[in-house]
Amino acid sequence: MEEKVIQLQINYKTLEEFEKFREYGQEELYMREELEENIVENQNNSPFYGMYIGDKLVARMSLYKIDKKYDRYFNPPQDYYELCKLEVLPDYQKKGLGKKLIRFAQSLGCPIKVNVRCGANSYFQNLGFEPAKYNPVRDRAENPYIWEP
Amino acid sequence: MEEKVIQLQINYKTLEEFEKFREYGQEELYMREELEENIVENQNNSPFYGMYIGDKLVARMSLYKIDKKYDRYFNPPQDYYELCKLEVLPDYQKKGLGKKLIRFAQSLGCPIKVNVRCGANSYFQNLGFEPAKYNPVRDRAENPYIWEP
């Protein structure tokens, strides 16, 4: 498959696609309100990236750029991406789409931090991520993994 | 069932019980290292609470007390609990054990914040939690719910 990772424009069509994902929550509801209040569509600075098959969004993630002054993971501190909401719709799993999204994030030239969910440790380790040294105050029950270019 | 919620002592037996839970990760590995390095067992200030049936730990959660100077959820700012890792082993679900853990947390006299996973919104709403007003900088893809006494 030759699907491309694209930055998603936040508009009503994208939000409708988002409803198919399990990790649909307050962030998406907030974006809908923002759309309704501002009547600003197709803003280009969305944190969401995704992959379409035909006209269907089948995988997505968000990447938040964190300024180095807030960096508590890398030494020396640097700008990095926080990767969240990585998700592939059930019928499209096991095809490497999640890996393509992560490889895309890795191509952006910054370190990445991700909070890894139960059971996905080896998935991220195979992509070069390593567990961050656990810090009980900083990580408070998180399971942080980091990757550096 | 009359299971009681107890604060869990961090010792090798507890950590062995923790291995049965899905959300076993770096925090648990860190606690094991701490045990090994310090040879301090049975410390009484663990953030973990749980319920036993017979000698088996079947449900757990962690509660981190957050000082009001770090509070970004309540108005006015106050000391509150961050609730994480709420989990009931599969064979013991649908028996109200998760609710008992949450009710216990609610009995401690402080507000509570929890990041709710996909699909569990109504579970927490039935226990009096409400979605926090989404703040994109603070919440960054989280799905925070709050409860006040």
Side-chain angles (χ1 to χ4, degrees), chain B residues 101-113:
Chain B
L101 282 171
I102 296 168
R103 294 279 191 217
F104 175 85
Q106 289 172 326
S107 75
L108 298 176
C110 285
I112 302 170
K113 179 246 162 179

Side-chain angles (χ1 to χ4, degrees), chain A:
Chain A
M1 287 195 295
E2 275 310 312
E3 294 73 26
K4 270 209 188 137
V5 176
I6 58 170
Q7 188 169 21
L8 301 175
Q9 293 189 329
I10 300 303
N11 54 35
Y12 289 105
K13 181 171 181 321
T14 302
L15 287 177
E16 201 179 301
E17 298 278 358
F18 281 179
E19 288 177 23
K20 298 174 192 141
F21 289 79
R22 281 168 56 94
E23 290 290 336
Y24 181 89
Q26 282 163 254
E27 185 180 29
E28 287 79 0
L29 295 172
Y30 170 81
M31 290 190 292
R32 179 173 293 274
E33 276 174 28
E34 285 287 286
L35 272 185
E36 284 164 0
E37 283 171 18
N38 298 312
I39 323 177
V40 177
E41 281 214 47
N42 302 323
Q43 51 161 304
N44 282 314
N45 59 352
S46 131
F48 280 97
Y49 295 80
M51 304 178 79
Y52 279 86
I53 290 184
D55 62 354
K56 183 173 184 177
L57 182 69
V58 298
R60 72 167 191 179
M61 67 176 170
S62 59
L63 286 176
Y64 288 94
K65 187 75 165 275
I66 312 295
D67 191 281
K68 69 180 173 192
K69 74 181 169 206
Y70 300 113
D71 178 11
R72 298 196 292 167
Y73 292 94
F74 301 98
N75 186 12
Q78 48 204 297
D79 292 356
Y80 71 96
Y81 282 108
E82 171 107 25
L83 193 162
C84 317
K85 293 202 172 182
L86 176 69
E87 185 174 347
V88 179
L89 293 183
D91 291 349
Y92 299 87
Q93 291 174 6
K94 314 274 180 198
K95 297 174 195 296
L97 297 177
K99 278 197 177 66
K100 274 192 187 169
L101 282 170
I102 295 168
R103 294 280 191 216
F104 174 85
Q106 289 172 324
S107 76
L108 299 176
C110 286
I112 302 169
K113 179 248 164 178
V114 59
N115 181 27
V116 172
R117 293 283 176 79
C118 38
N121 296 352
S122 63
Y123 184 86
F124 280 91
Q125 281 177 317
N126 287 339
L127 286 159
F129 285 75
E130 292 179 2
K133 183 168 163 46
Y134 188 81
N135 174 327
V137 172
R138 177 192 68 189
D139 298 325
R140 205 170 285 124
E142 274 206 3
N143 200 34
Y145 274 65
I146 55 176
W147 174 86
E148 292 187 77

